[in-house]
Amino acid sequence: MKRSVLLAVGLSLCINVWAQQDEKIATPVGQPAVAARFGEGITPHAVKEQLQIVAGAGMQGRETATEGQQKAANYIISQFDKAGLQPGAKGKWEQYFYLYQDTLTSSKIVVDGHSYIFGKDYYSSLYACQNQQVKTSRIVFAGYGINSGEYNDYNNLDVSGQVVLLLPGEPHKDDTTFLLTGTRRPSAWGGVNKKIIEVVERKPAAVLVVNEGASRMEKVSGNGLYKTPTYMRNPKQTPTAVTNVYYISPEMAAALLGIKDAAALLDPAAADKLKPRVIRKSVQLQFKKDVKELRSSNVIGYLEGTDKKNELVFVTAHYDHLGKRGEELFYGADDDGSGTSAVMEIAAAFGRAVKAGYKPRRSLVFMTVSGEEKGLLGSKFYTDNPIYPLEQTVADLNIDMIGRIDPMHEKDTNYVYVIGDNKLSSALRPINEAANNTFTKFHLDYKYNDPDDPNRFYYRSDHYMFALHNIPIIFYFNGTHEDYHRPTDTVDKIDFPLLSRRAQLVFYTAWEIANREERLPVDRHEK
């Protein structure tokens, strides 16, 4: 539909054709005065009261799958219930999902009685490795670990069930030319991935790869070397056999090879002289980790519509944040306590409208998700396991940070960034702009909607999981600031009049989408 037509039939002229079906309705829902009656109830005082709790110390920073996150979920549930919503997760308020975290409990490599230390002499990926214990009397040195054309480091080597040692890089013809390409440019074998694929196909017990930075990994990664971030398993993924790969220092590798100069392993002229062979040394290798299962949730409230109730309009925000780092508490007032507070107050406004007899035509789903800070995990889980049909989901209005101003708007604070509104539907931007022109009168800043914007904010919040399923979205955002992802993102720095008006804009846009005659068209395909 063209923009001129949309504006003509938009917020000011939407006719309530279903009023006769619901005797409680006295006047057209689409009239601006009706929408304003409830939207104006989203006040600075109301959002402040919500945010003081959500971003208070009692919520412990709301890190995903922690006690603080569950406390926040319980509070959101109480507010959804107070607003008159129904439990939206198949009769429950929470859609649970499970995350995992790996912690190293012990690891050692002992060669001929000499012990090598994890984090100092070698390291490995906790996520990629599985528990194992190996005892053998030899190491198979497979040179560079390359099998390409006439060049094959595995000639006459049986590595099945053995501990295999590989060098980095690839052989050289001279100081400036790679043997495999005949040029100065390395082949794919110069990296480690192709080598690991090649050796794993030969079913070794474990792989040792020389890595120049192995001895520095503990300083670089800190505790991250011994504990993974939380992650989500893919239940549809077929389990595959795992070969543990350990990255060892040149000094450790030199000792295993029986050479004195560790630097020679990184010098092509010297390394090329080391031929694949079997090294007769006793080896004990142990790797043990603990895998912890953690539970998190999306909180979902449902408001049933009338004649178009099978179509769903989502209003979302993430309620998780960064939790604690040592003794420092990350409050997450703007990120995304502001969005969470807005969702609760928008739900309350729709709830007041329903009590007054103004029920929306389409159903509304208010969802606060967790796991956003871990990689959009909660919203991904929802769209992978939808409670309501994705094909019947009309739009997602996502709110992530709307309580502050960024450095670019210090002189003109009357703004909000709008991202993604024209990516999938030509009708969504005119609706949002009409709502803004009628009620909130912001400068709608489309800077971050540019596909070439280097920040790529369009891909960095929960709306994107809906967009991947061709569901039109809008992402409302105030931009980043000096307190972003810092302990100083606190409630006292929030501009509550600005936060409440931005939440009102989302409310008025949701109101129009929920009550208009036509469903939003999906007539564009940019993601």
Side-chain angles (χ1 to χ4, degrees):
M1 184 181 290
K2 294 182 179 179
R3 178 175 175 180
S4 58
V5 178
L6 277 169
L7 291 174
V9 300
L11 289 164
S12 61
L13 295 177
C14 178
I15 304 301
N16 182 12
V17 298
W18 48 273
Q20 296 177 354
Q21 300 173 12
D22 189 335
E23 60 186 9
K24 293 183 179 180
I25 304 301
T27 57
V29 171
Q31 290 184 357
V34 177
R37 174 179 166 187
F38 304 105
E40 288 171 358
I42 304 173
T43 65
H45 176 74
V47 292
K48 183 176 182 179
E49 282 196 328
Q50 299 284 20
L51 188 57
Q52 285 176 328
I53 296 173
V54 171
M59 297 300 180
Q60 303 168 19
R62 311 186 306 279
E63 184 172 10
T64 302
T66 65
E67 180 185 3
Q69 178 247 300
Q70 187 58 58
K71 284 184 176 181
N74 292 342
Y75 178 72
I76 295 165
I77 289 168
S78 73
Q79 297 306 294
F80 281 177
D81 188 40
K82 182 179 177 181
L85 305 185
Q86 297 299 310
K90 298 179 180 178
K92 298 180 180 179
W93 288 108
E94 293 176 89
Q95 180 192 42
Y96 293 106
F97 58 93
Y98 290 88
L99 302 174
Y100 300 87
Q101 186 174 54
D102 300 354
T103 303
L104 183 70
T105 56
S106 65
S107 180
K108 65 178 181 179
I109 299 177
V110 181
V111 180
D112 275 356
H114 182 83
S115 296
Y116 294 94
I117 301 172
F118 187 95
K120 291 183 171 60
D121 299 307
Y122 71 99
Y123 73 97
S124 61
S125 164
L126 298 190
Y127 176 77
C129 290
Q130 298 300 317
N131 291 344
Q132 74 168 167
Q133 190 149 349
V134 177
K135 190 173 183 180
T136 183
S137 59
R138 62 182 189 167
I139 299 170
V140 178
F141 172 56
Y144 292 103
I146 294 173
N147 177 20
S148 177
E150 295 181 359
Y151 186 96
N152 185 0
D153 281 319
Y154 293 100
N155 275 338
N156 302 315
L157 285 182
D158 180 10
V159 302
S160 177
Q162 303 300 316
V163 176
V164 181
L165 173 61
L166 303 179
L167 292 174
E170 58 184 309
H172 285 64
K173 186 175 181 180
D174 52 44
D175 289 342
T176 60
T177 305
F178 289 101
L179 179 65
L180 299 181
T181 61
T183 70
R184 295 185 180 184
R185 299 181 62 185
S187 70
W189 291 100
V192 72
N193 291 338
K194 193 168 183 179
K195 296 181 182 186
I196 290 174
I197 292 171
E198 177 70 29
V199 69
V200 165
E201 288 179 350
R202 299 168 186 272
K203 303 186 184 309
V207 179
L208 309 178
V209 180
V210 180
N211 182 285
E212 184 179 6
S215 60
R216 300 190 299 270
M217 284 304 296
E218 187 175 55
K219 292 182 179 179
V220 172
S221 300
N223 192 51
L225 197 61
Y226 304 93
K227 182 180 292 187
T228 68
T230 53
Y231 60 90
M232 185 179 289
R233 289 176 177 170
N234 182 358
K236 299 177 182 178
Q237 186 173 355
T238 303
T240 56
V242 173
T243 298
N244 286 6
V245 178
Y246 303 91
Y247 299 91
I248 69 174
S249 69
E251 291 75 19
M252 178 177 170
L256 302 187
L257 288 165
I259 64 175
K260 293 182 179 181
D261 186 9
L265 300 178
L266 306 175
D267 177 10
D272 285 353
K273 297 176 182 178
L274 298 172
K275 302 304 179 184
R277 68 184 190 275
V278 174
I279 304 168
R280 301 289 178 180
K281 291 186 177 183
S282 65
V283 179
Q284 295 179 57
L285 190 155
Q286 180 194 76
F287 182 88
K288 189 175 181 181
K289 68 178 180 180
D290 174 62
V291 181
K292 185 184 295 184
E293 184 178 75
L294 306 167
R295 189 173 78 164
S296 190
S297 71
N298 300 323
V299 181
I300 304 175
Y302 175 74
L303 181 61
E304 188 176 59
T306 56
D307 63 317
K308 296 180 181 292
K309 65 183 180 182
N310 291 330
E311 296 179 9
L312 295 309
V313 179
F314 273 66
V315 181
T316 60
H318 73 89
Y319 72 100
D320 65 308
H321 192 56
L322 303 180
K324 294 183 72 174
R325 299 292 184 269
E327 295 302 313
E328 284 193 306
L329 178 61
F330 290 70
Y331 294 91
D334 193 26
D335 184 18
D336 186 29
S338 62
T340 301
S341 300
V343 170
M344 290 188 289
E345 282 304 303
I346 294 167
F350 273 102
R352 290 190 292 270
V354 170
K355 288 180 181 178
Y358 299 99
K359 199 172 185 181
R361 301 182 71 181
R362 292 176 178 84
S363 297
L364 284 148
V365 179
F366 300 91
M367 182 168 73
T368 57
V369 303
S370 64
E372 192 271 355
E373 299 288 5
K374 306 294 185 183
L376 312 184
L377 299 184
S379 51
K380 178 177 180 4
F381 184 83
Y382 177 82
T383 54
D384 284 347
N385 304 273
I387 293 169
Y388 306 96
L390 295 179
E391 61 272 17
Q392 290 296 98
T393 301
V394 173
D396 173 46
L397 305 181
N398 184 53
I399 314 167
D400 194 348
M401 298 174 58
I402 59 166
R404 297 278 297 268
I405 60 171
D406 69 359
M408 289 182 286
H409 291 88
E410 289 178 350
K411 295 182 179 180
D412 178 18
T413 63
N414 188 49
Y415 79 100
V416 64
Y417 289 112
V418 176
I419 303 172
D421 62 326
N422 65 344
K423 302 289 189 185
L424 296 168
S425 176
S426 60
L428 194 49
R429 176 172 289 187
I431 290 172
N432 190 60
E433 288 185 343
N436 182 59
N437 292 337
T438 303
F439 298 106
T440 48
K441 314 223 181 267
F442 282 113
H443 163 57
L444 302 181
D445 193 329
Y446 296 110
K447 170 183 172 64
Y448 294 129
N449 201 46
D450 184 344
D452 296 325
D453 180 74
N455 295 283
R456 294 176 63 81
F457 286 123
Y458 176 65
Y459 306 94
R460 290 170 55 181
S461 193
D462 297 295
H463 60 277
Y464 185 61
M465 291 298 143
F466 287 84
L468 286 175
H469 293 272
N470 290 314
I471 297 168
I473 64 91
I474 299 180
F475 171 22
Y476 299 89
F477 180 50
N478 56 216
T480 58
H481 43 73
E482 63 182 359
D483 299 308
Y484 175 66
H485 279 196
R486 294 185 179 181
T488 48
D489 181 9
T490 50
V491 173
D492 59 294
K493 297 179 180 178
I494 297 295
D495 185 328
F496 289 103
L498 199 56
L499 168 54
S500 63
R501 286 177 55 231
R502 287 166 173 166
Q504 286 175 359
L505 174 59
V506 183
F507 169 80
Y508 293 126
T509 301
W511 181 281
E512 170 65 8
I513 296 170
N515 289 302
R516 71 199 303 264
E517 178 62 29
E518 303 89 354
R519 173 175 171 159
L520 285 179
V522 181
D523 51 9
R524 297 182 177 181
H525 301 285
E526 182 179 354
K527 297 180 183 177

